[in-house]
Amino acid sequence: MRNQNLKILKVFTLCLCLISVISCKEDIAKPENIAFNKNWKFIQKDVQEAISPQFDDTEWETVRVPHDWSIKGPFSKDNPSFSRGGWLPTGKSTYRKTFRVNASQENNKVFVYFDGAYRNSVVYINGKKVGYRPMGYIGFEYDLSEHINFNGSNVLTVTLDNSAQPGSRWYTGTGIYRDVTLKIRNKTYIPNWSLYVTSSRISKGEATINATFDIKNENLEDKNLTVETRVLLNGKIVSISKEDALVASGKKKDLLINLKVDNPKLWSPKTPDLYTVNVQIKDNGVVVANESVRTGIRKLGYHKDTGFSINGEQIKLKGVCLHHAAGPLGAAVYKRTIERQLEVLREMGCNAVRTSHNPFSSEFLDICDEMGFLVMNEVFDEWEIVKKPTTVQDGKKVRIPVKYYANIFKEWADKDLTDFVLRDRNHASVVMWSIGNEIDQMKTDEGIPIANRLIDIIHKLDDRPVTNGLIGYGWDAWPSEGAASTSDIRGYNYIKENGLDREDQVAPDAMGIVTECASAQSYYPRNTYLYGEEKAQWWAKLGYKHTDAYEWVEKRELIGYRGVQAWKDIKNRPNIMGQFIWTGWDYLGEVIPYGWPARSSSFAPIDLCGFPKDGYYFYQSQWSEKPMVHIFPHWNLDGMEGKEVTVYAYTNGDEVELFQDGKSLGKQKNNLNDVEYQQWQVVYKPGELKAISYKNGKQIAEDVVKTAGKPAKIDVFVRRKTLKADGEDLSYIECTILDKDGNVVPKADNLIQFKVEGEAKIIGVGNGDNFSHTSFQAKERKAFNSKCLAIIQTSENIGDITFTASSQGLETTVVSFKTEK
Ligand code: GAL
């Protein structure tokens, strides 16, 4: 009986949800885009019967997309994703969504748009297959109209297959892990991605916005339409054009509208002003189509003598390579995840991102547009040849081929590339395209025609230059001159010092970019400093002899060349646009040089949770103008009493002075062009180290490390206390363990319990320990080297949130938030 009641309640709740999915208050069917992220049913297996609309999915889990189920874990040595996929589970899964479309929409068309579903997605509507898309990173739209029940129930079923493993060189995530949108359109409409906006004749006084788009008429009669195109800045119309268009039944018409904008606000990293271009099509006075895109008015210049410029000002790309997943939430990336990631990077001095090595979410590019980041938008990591990356299995280095893109390249590459450019070409942030990363075929002549074909596809759709991250310059395998010269901008991965000189000889007129450099800058997790026997033991754990023990300050030149040298070369050569370091953030998978139990990389200056490592401050010293100095290691080096320890400093001042317990240990010069860091040999004794940085003799910054006492309290850092009541907003709550005097306890590993009350829930935790197998979805987390993270997500109700971090023996900390619409 109880079960029966429960079922009735579930059905009732479901009906309420369905009714609210599409509300149609007006008789005139309006074109509209409906967020389709809520109330999906999900199961972690392939259920072919679920294609049928009659299938009963009430017992399945209800989820909200973006949804990545691999991240739930568990980590296991038996998972076939292997170290490449962070030892996380993969496989098949099925999603269903039931919805109603009002009868008043009957004369309209219904489309569904997925920004990405990982991978091999097959989409069915009411039992009919509408599409298959093997690539998991690409956006796609299907026309559902023919099979929709107007004024009745409809079921969308999506099956995914990510079981061929290892399925990539990095963690991919599995699921409908990006936004879904239901699009209701009139039979007169502007097709997906057809609205393309550029600007020309840009000066201080005026600019021309050029909007091109198609109008499709699927009505049985010809249509005499009015087309109104407006340019808006902060919601205010700044330019408008009106014209008539006759579109014959069953035909498509393409239009080009030019609009003049006076005194344009030019887009640049410092002033990321965006205009909205809105097109409204009216049929007999009724709006039948209404599409908008955002655009940045800016002049991009690429010239070997004057360098890369925006609106005439030369800019160097101080860039990082990123993978699409972003820490404890895996690949299910929310707007706030991306914003925070870019905020932390911007504070490091970074202004550019390479989307390595695949299309990212539309939201990622939206946020880059808004924040003024520059993007090298990359599409492929493999062409026709399967990559066999080195990895460690049972203590041995082996080469395991990945089951990634090579098998479908011939059939899908042109379509995927076309859709990638069509989706992303309106973004102001995109300053170049990349057709590949370390494509082995580029070392042979057979790669050249493929490269030319891909470049042609892009050139037909957009005028921004194309690059290709080639590996091998200055190494054993120097790609042929032909390979490099296919690209508009030569892309060099891991070029060595003399490589750029050689390029100046071979191709004096070419523009280039260091598409990748400075990998494996550290193999230790954040704030790990090992001395003597401890260090030997760390590397002994590896099980094989490893000689390339990179640290932030040692042997960094082994891959590519020293960070400071690379930046110096790039800085001083106008024809080199900039650099992208590998990577900005640690990522799941590719755990080089480790095998099990390591589950995430450790190369980056920022750990998986967004906590800076020492390397972060190296880039800050090179890239940022904000005065800074950073010293390391921390000063809780038990066992080192009386022994000499090297203390390092990074600064953008021209001198640094180190003080131990108030006594000066001397000043060191910092010639920003040659010197990467300053160092002192210091005899360790508990106490205080202070570094003061000077510029032209004046103090500009200081940094202090103190020997901390026992853990006593939890410091909590949040960037915002007012969150959006939209069910999607997040707060990343960063916890640090302090002693009673407020000093960071550098090795603290206390277990912290998180509790949230009010209008939010905890959706992720982490601590940046690359070896930890604790679930990212727990409600507690041990600190790792003093830090851990909790991520909370708001509900849709306006209200208060109280977050509590507590741990046995430590003072409890409470943070309050409010949410608003
Ligand atoms: C590069 C490659 C990256 C990543 C990196 C690790 O050669 O392009 O995708 O694998 O090595 O060091």
Side-chain angles (χ1 to χ4, degrees):
M1 187 62 187
R2 207 180 147 263
N3 268 350
Q4 183 78 19
N5 283 346
L6 207 71
K7 235 182 180 157
I8 292 172
L9 187 74
K10 272 188 185 164
V11 172
F12 179 68
T13 324
L14 186 74
C15 292
L16 279 183
C17 298
L18 303 182
I19 290 164
S20 64
V21 169
I22 295 181
S23 59
C24 196
K25 294 161 224 117
E26 297 163 58
D27 282 342
I28 299 164
K30 269 205 321 187
E32 58 179 330
N33 290 343
I34 299 157
F36 229 40
N37 287 351
K38 285 196 280 183
N39 295 318
W40 283 84
K41 288 293 196 170
F42 161 73
I43 196 156
Q44 201 174 311
K45 61 181 177 189
D46 182 39
V47 184
Q48 285 299 312
E49 309 83 74
I51 296 165
S52 155
Q54 279 75 42
F55 182 82
D56 180 6
D57 60 16
T58 39
E59 299 300 321
W60 291 16
E61 192 185 341
T62 303
V63 297
R64 179 178 188 133
V65 304
H67 183 246
D68 167 13
W69 59 261
S70 287
I71 200 70
K72 271 199 314 198
F75 297 98
S76 164
K77 207 176 177 186
D78 298 331
N79 279 331
S81 66
F82 206 60
S83 64
R84 288 276 153 193
W87 309 104
L88 282 161
T90 47
K92 298 186 177 180
S93 48
T94 311
Y95 291 79
R96 290 180 103 239
K97 184 167 170 71
T98 309
F99 60 101
R100 291 178 74 84
V101 180
N102 203 293
S104 64
Q105 303 281 15
E106 196 146 12
N107 292 322
N108 278 344
K109 295 189 63 73
V110 180
F111 297 83
V112 66
Y113 174 76
F114 291 81
D115 204 41
Y118 209 88
R119 62 177 163 155
N120 290 311
S121 63
V122 188
V123 178
Y124 304 85
I125 179 74
N126 298 328
K128 306 282 173 340
K129 178 172 162 181
V130 287
Y132 161 63
R133 200 64 185 241
M135 194 202 219
Y137 297 112
I138 203 83
F140 51 89
E141 184 189 272
Y142 298 131
D143 185 349
L144 308 178
S145 318
E146 214 188 309
H147 311 292
I148 287 285
N149 296 321
F150 290 91
N151 213 20
S153 176
N154 296 280
V155 184
L156 204 56
T157 306
V158 182
T159 62
L160 301 176
D161 183 354
N162 185 21
S163 51
Q165 292 295 324
S168 170
R169 297 193 302 112
W170 55 86
Y171 172 78
T172 62
T174 316
I176 303 181
Y177 69 127
R178 291 183 186 162
D179 286 344
V180 186
T181 313
L182 194 80
K183 298 182 171 184
I184 308 283
R185 292 186 182 130
N186 190 280
K187 284 188 178 147
T188 303
Y189 65 101
I190 299 174
N192 188 35
W193 298 327
S194 112
L195 175 55
Y196 174 41
V197 177
T198 55
S199 34
S200 54
R201 299 164 180 270
I202 302 166
S203 68
K204 272 201 171 143
E206 65 173 65
T208 306
I209 285 201
N210 318 297
T212 70
F213 51 92
D214 294 334
I215 304 175
K216 210 166 168 186
N217 177 8
E218 290 193 25
N219 297 282
L220 294 175
E221 67 277 11
D222 297 350
K223 288 283 178 190
N224 254 317
L225 305 163
T226 323
V227 181
E228 218 173 277
T229 311
R230 311 144 192 232
V231 180
L232 299 102
L233 180 67
N234 303 323
K236 276 177 64 192
I237 299 175
V238 295
S239 188
I240 189 160
S241 111
K242 259 190 205 173
E243 30 245 290
D244 296 328
L246 172 67
V247 190
S249 163
K251 294 277 185 272
K252 208 162 71 173
K253 185 177 188 113
D254 55 331
L255 267 74
L256 165 62
I257 314 279
N258 300 316
L259 296 116
K260 196 166 122 277
V261 175
D262 290 327
N263 306 315
K265 281 186 172 270
L266 302 189
W267 187 96
S268 77
K270 281 189 214 131
T271 57
D273 290 297
L274 294 168
Y275 288 81
T276 299
V277 176
N278 167 256
V279 183
Q280 281 197 0
I281 300 175
K282 288 186 184 160
D283 181 4
N284 274 325
V286 175
V287 177
V288 289
N290 187 10
E291 292 286 329
S292 295
V293 297
R294 293 190 309 180
T295 189
I297 302 178
R298 83 274 188 271
K299 222 185 320 185
L300 302 176
Y302 310 80
H303 193 278
K304 68 169 180 81
D305 297 326
T306 45
F308 167 64
S309 63
I310 301 187
N311 308 323
E313 191 190 326
Q314 196 186 128
I315 291 189
K316 287 286 177 189
L317 274 64
K318 303 165 178 175
V320 298
C321 299
L322 289 179
H323 274 313
H324 70 298
L329 302 183
V333 170
Y334 291 87
K335 185 169 191 280
R336 182 61 203 152
T337 311
I338 303 163
E339 269 172 9
R340 171 180 179 256
Q341 195 172 34
L342 295 176
E343 282 163 9
V344 176
L345 285 167
R346 187 162 60 187
E347 287 155 18
M348 184 172 89
C350 164
N351 66 6
V353 172
R354 172 193 189 198
T355 64
S356 39
H357 308 291
N358 44 263
F360 277 28
S361 64
S362 300
E363 271 166 321
F364 184 89
L365 296 176
D366 283 343
I367 297 166
C368 288
D369 294 345
E370 287 163 17
M371 290 179 69
F373 270 80
L374 307 172
V375 177
M376 169 178 151
N377 210 16
E378 183 159 87
V379 64
F380 298 129
D381 188 55
E382 264 184 3
W383 290 354
E384 292 168 352
I385 296 176
V386 173
K387 283 192 175 171
K388 296 183 190 144
T390 309
T391 188
V392 180
Q393 194 176 33
D394 301 325
K396 287 196 191 79
K397 280 192 184 178
V398 286
R399 283 191 169 268
I400 302 182
V402 288
K403 301 184 182 78
Y404 182 53
Y405 197 74
N407 299 331
I408 56 168
F409 183 88
K410 281 202 169 107
E411 196 182 337
W412 284 94
D414 294 12
K415 165 90 179 136
D416 284 338
L417 177 61
T418 303
D419 287 358
F420 164 72
V421 178
L422 288 176
R423 191 198 70 168
D424 292 350
R425 62 187 178 162
N426 284 314
H427 288 282
S429 54
V430 174
V431 295
M432 63 201 300
W433 307 98
S434 165
I435 52 171
N437 171 60
E438 299 187 354
I439 302 293
D440 286 340
Q441 272 163 309
M442 288 309 288
K443 289 182 191 160
T444 66
D445 286 346
E446 81 196 41
I448 294 175
I450 302 177
N452 285 333
R453 189 183 87 222
L454 301 178
I455 292 168
D456 270 2
I457 290 176
I458 299 180
H459 282 169
K460 284 197 182 109
L461 299 169
D462 190 68
D463 64 358
R464 274 159 283 193
V466 182
T467 191
N468 187 355
L470 300 177
I471 178 90
Y473 273 84
W475 292 38
D476 49 339
W478 181 280
S480 71
E481 165 56 18
S485 60
T486 51
S487 301
D488 304 317
I489 310 270
R490 291 165 174 239
Y492 314 114
N493 274 23
Y494 302 101
I495 193 158
K496 294 234 173 177
E497 231 142 341
N498 54 6
L500 290 176
D501 289 341
R502 184 166 162 175
E503 279 298 273
D504 283 344
Q505 307 291 319
V506 188
D509 292 331
M511 280 289 282
I513 182 153
V514 176
T515 35
E516 201 170 310
C517 65
S519 180
Q521 302 172 70
S522 171
Y523 282 156
Y524 296 114
R526 168 179 48 79
N527 264 19
T528 302
Y529 308 100
L530 302 173
Y531 300 95
E533 193 43 33
E534 238 187 333
K535 188 169 188 167
Q537 276 168 14
W538 175 278
W539 290 108
K541 277 193 303 197
L542 255 193
Y544 67 95
K545 193 164 156 38
H546 185 74
T547 48
D548 307 340
Y550 309 146
E551 296 178 39
W552 279 107
V553 285
E554 277 176 28
K555 294 193 177 177
R556 289 185 44 199
E557 68 276 19
L558 286 183
I559 289 203
Y561 58 106
R562 277 197 311 140
V564 75
Q565 187 62 35
W567 179 232
K568 183 180 144 194
D569 270 2
I570 291 159
K571 202 159 64 169
N572 297 332
R573 291 175 199 252
N575 65 329
I576 303 295
M577 285 174 66
Q579 67 177 148
F580 289 98
I581 60 163
W582 187 266
T583 45
W585 284 53
D586 283 348
Y587 52 96
L588 285 157
E590 196 164 55
V591 300
I592 298 168
Y594 309 104
W596 175 265
R599 49 80 167 143
S600 48
S601 72
S602 49
F603 308 144
I606 302 168
D607 78 12
L608 198 72
C609 290
F611 297 125
K613 305 184 201 169
D614 295 316
Y616 182 89
Y617 301 96
F618 165 67
Y619 286 103
Q620 210 171 49
S621 73
Q622 297 293 311
W623 286 351
S624 168
E625 316 246 290
K626 198 172 149 220
M628 58 75 60
V629 60
H630 172 77
I631 44 170
F632 56 104
H634 59 70
W635 217 228
N636 270 62
L637 302 175
D638 298 347
M640 293 298 286
E641 288 78 1
K643 294 187 190 146
E644 272 200 351
V645 172
T646 313
V647 174
Y648 300 93
Y650 293 138
T651 182
N652 49 13
D654 47 32
E655 262 179 329
V656 199
E657 187 167 12
L658 186 72
F659 298 85
Q660 182 173 26
D661 301 324
K663 187 172 159 262
S664 174
L665 302 184
K667 277 187 183 171
Q668 303 267 347
K669 287 250 176 280
N670 183 38
N671 167 356
L672 282 170
N673 273 333
D674 291 312
V675 182
E676 188 158 345
Y677 51 83
Q678 290 68 50
Q679 69 185 72
W680 298 259
Q681 289 306 115
V682 180
V683 177
Y684 176 71
K685 70 170 179 231
E688 181 193 271
L689 286 182
K690 182 197 270 186
I692 297 185
S693 171
Y694 307 89
K695 203 162 207 166
N696 302 323
K698 267 180 63 192
Q699 178 174 339
I700 57 160
E702 74 167 49
D703 191 25
V704 177
V705 288
K706 264 191 194 166
T707 309
K710 286 202 184 73
K713 49 190 177 189
I714 307 163
D715 177 57
V716 163
F717 172 72
V718 293
R719 286 171 180 260
R720 300 168 312 146
K721 290 220 168 160
T722 304
L723 310 177
K724 283 196 206 93
D726 60 1
E728 295 197 341
D729 200 7
L730 309 176
S731 178
Y732 281 76
I733 304 175
E734 302 178 8
C735 301
T736 308
I737 312 272
L738 306 180
D739 71 4
K740 67 175 181 12
D741 300 321
N743 301 310
V744 173
V745 186
K747 291 187 188 166
D749 62 355
N750 306 59
L751 177 67
I752 303 188
Q753 262 97 28
F754 304 119
K755 196 169 90 191
V756 66
E757 288 161 300
E759 298 305 332
K761 59 181 183 197
I762 298 169
I763 62 159
V765 297
N767 65 11
D769 176 3
N770 314 47
F771 294 84
S772 166
H773 291 166
T774 306
S775 169
F776 291 119
Q777 300 194 339
K779 302 275 179 285
E780 57 180 27
R781 191 70 181 193
K782 264 185 148 193
F784 170 71
N785 285 342
S786 123
K787 287 186 185 291
C788 65
L789 174 77
I791 308 164
I792 60 167
Q793 183 172 48
T794 57
S795 76
E796 290 184 20
N797 305 324
I798 295 177
D800 296 326
I801 300 166
T802 308
F803 175 86
T804 310
S806 57
S807 178
Q808 210 180 359
L810 306 187
E811 263 174 43
T812 295
T813 302
V814 179
V815 201
S816 305
F817 301 84
K818 64 180 169 70
T819 68
E820 59 183 31
K821 284 284 176 193

